[in-house]
Amino acid sequence: MDGYVIRELRVGDGAALAAAFRKNKEHLARWDPGRPDSFYTDEGQEAEVARNLGETAAGRSYMYLVWHGDVVVGRLMLNNIVRAVLQSGTIGYWVDHEHLGRGLAKAGVGHLVVQATKLGLHRLEAGTLVENTPSQGVLRSSGFQEYGVAERFLYIREEWRDTILFQRILHDDPPGNPVP
């Protein structure tokens, strides 16, 4: 990942994130839900940053950005965290269309695995639309195993879409109270 840095989301990242979403709007449209125009504005992303940082403070979600210089070229999410007897979370990620094929998605997934392990999570899951074979390859090469298909799971591009489900077991230790 020469020239790239992964770091936690921070207050003030909204403008760079908005620029990345605007630049990749067409690239991400195949996989993302419909978004209001305000989502692509600096103000809209600053509101998203504030919301996401609130989720982080509550221990429910963590977002990381992939930077190339002062430009955001990817986003990594560890969310839907459930504690108690489950100790599980869901990952999601995307990479700027001009930075594909450089191993950033795999490095990002690896980063999420490390962070989830530090948080004491036992299991991670991820899902891809059936036709998203590149992302499926990233997950498989990152130690995730396919365990099923969720029919009509996500509402994307004005229809309910099937999703291939993946999981990775991180450890078999009993649940604890890790210090993030």
Side-chain angles (χ1 to χ4, degrees):
M1 281 199 22
D2 280 346
Y4 296 92
V5 174
I6 297 173
R7 72 163 172 77
E8 291 180 358
L9 182 70
R10 298 179 189 160
V11 171
D13 286 342
L17 200 48
F21 273 115
R22 285 190 299 269
K23 179 182 175 193
N24 287 279
K25 187 174 183 179
E26 186 176 320
H27 167 61
L28 298 174
R30 297 175 290 173
W31 324 117
D32 275 354
R35 305 217 190 255
D37 290 340
S38 62
F39 181 84
Y40 299 94
T41 66
D42 294 0
E43 298 79 16
Q45 280 305 304
E46 281 300 339
E48 285 291 307
V49 167
R51 185 185 64 74
N52 280 294
L53 290 175
E55 290 292 301
T56 298
R60 292 187 295 260
S61 178
Y62 298 84
M63 183 186 292
Y64 307 88
L65 300 179
V66 182
W67 293 84
H68 188 252
D70 61 353
V71 177
V72 171
V73 297
R75 182 179 78 163
L76 314 168
M77 293 282 304
L78 171 56
N79 57 16
N80 300 325
I81 293 174
V82 178
R83 292 300 189 162
V85 298
L86 189 57
Q87 298 295 324
S88 181
T90 303
I91 66 165
Y93 51 91
W94 62 263
V95 173
D96 182 297
H97 69 278
E98 292 180 357
H99 295 262
L100 295 173
R102 300 177 192 189
L104 297 177
K106 186 171 181 182
V109 169
H111 180 80
L112 292 171
V113 166
V114 168
Q115 297 307 311
T117 302
K118 286 180 182 178
L119 291 168
L121 296 182
H122 164 71
R123 177 181 176 274
L124 288 177
E125 60 182 44
T128 74
L129 295 180
V130 172
E131 67 271 19
N132 193 348
T133 55
S135 192
Q136 293 160 23
V138 167
L139 291 168
R140 286 186 180 103
S141 69
S142 298
F144 284 73
Q145 296 178 322
E146 181 180 333
Y147 71 93
V149 175
E151 294 182 13
R152 298 182 300 280
F153 189 65
L154 296 173
Y155 194 72
I156 307 287
R157 289 183 282 135
E158 306 299 321
E159 68 178 305
W160 288 101
R161 310 288 302 285
D162 294 351
T163 300
I164 298 176
L165 303 174
F166 291 84
Q167 68 176 359
R168 178 169 168 180
I169 305 300
L170 302 175
H171 63 79
D172 286 326
D173 298 335
N177 294 314
V179 177

